[in-house]
Amino acid sequence: MKKVMDIIRRKPATLTLIVVVFLIASSLLKWRLRPPIDALWYLVGGGIGMYFLDAAEEFFHLVPSPFKTVVFFVLFVLVSFFVTTSSGNVFASGLVFSLYLCLLSSQIGEFVHMGDVSSWYRMVDAVPAKNIQQIALGIFVCLFLIQTFLFVR
């Protein structure tokens, strides 16, 4: 239980707030201010998704994290698009949206603090230039916005 509490405490409060606000806002938009009981599953999935990768890294002792790589992120984006637009499972949709936000915030935070996201390219032969990293990050943000729009429409 101590490890679980450590994982929860490690998550920045700002990120937790962003994810919770996103989940509530997207559920209200999706269900037109009248969320059904299924919306609770969406919120539960989002809550679990917020800590899912942290728990996996802790449980399996993954250092460095294989989840914080551009290879994983690209594959995750493909899967998350399928889950949110085709599956109809609101629990899974909440989970992938919160995972996506956590990955995005991690990459944005690294870019802001370090000036690049070179560590995300460790599984790739050559690290791209900073401007290419910025473009890739912008594409990830745009894809998140598109995915959100497709979910709430």
Side-chain angles (χ1 to χ4, degrees), residues 110 114-123 127-128 130 133:
E110 186 173 327
M114 306 294 284
D116 66 8
V117 287
S118 298
S119 69
W120 284 72
Y121 291 88
R122 68 179 173 271
M123 296 180 85
V127 175
K130 286 182 187 181
Q133 293 176 21

Side-chain angles (χ1 to χ4, degrees), residues 29-107:
L29 287 171
K30 171 127 181 106
W31 291 292
R32 311 289 184 248
L33 301 176
R34 294 188 156 183
I37 196 73
D38 282 352
L40 288 175
W41 286 113
Y42 176 72
L43 297 174
V44 169
I48 291 172
M50 203 174 351
Y51 302 103
F52 189 79
L53 294 180
D54 297 324
E57 290 168 354
E58 182 75 28
F59 183 75
F60 295 111
H61 306 288
L62 300 173
V63 177
S65 174
F67 305 122
K68 294 180 179 167
T69 65
V70 73
V71 174
F72 176 81
F73 207 179
V74 168
L75 295 174
F76 174 77
V77 168
L78 295 174
V79 170
S80 70
F81 257 93
F82 171 75
V83 168
T84 57
T85 60
S86 302
S87 78
N89 186 326
V90 292
F91 176 85
S93 294
L95 188 116
V96 297
F97 272 127
S98 62
L99 279 169
Y100 203 136
L101 272 173
C102 288
L103 288 168
L104 266 181
S105 72
S106 181
Q107 197 173 51

Side-chain angles (χ1 to χ4, degrees), residues 128-146:
K130 286 182 187 181
N131 64 334
I132 302 297
Q133 293 176 21
Q134 280 181 306
I135 291 168
L137 183 55
I139 290 170
F140 287 132
V141 170
C142 289
L143 290 174
F144 177 77
L145 295 173
I146 291 167

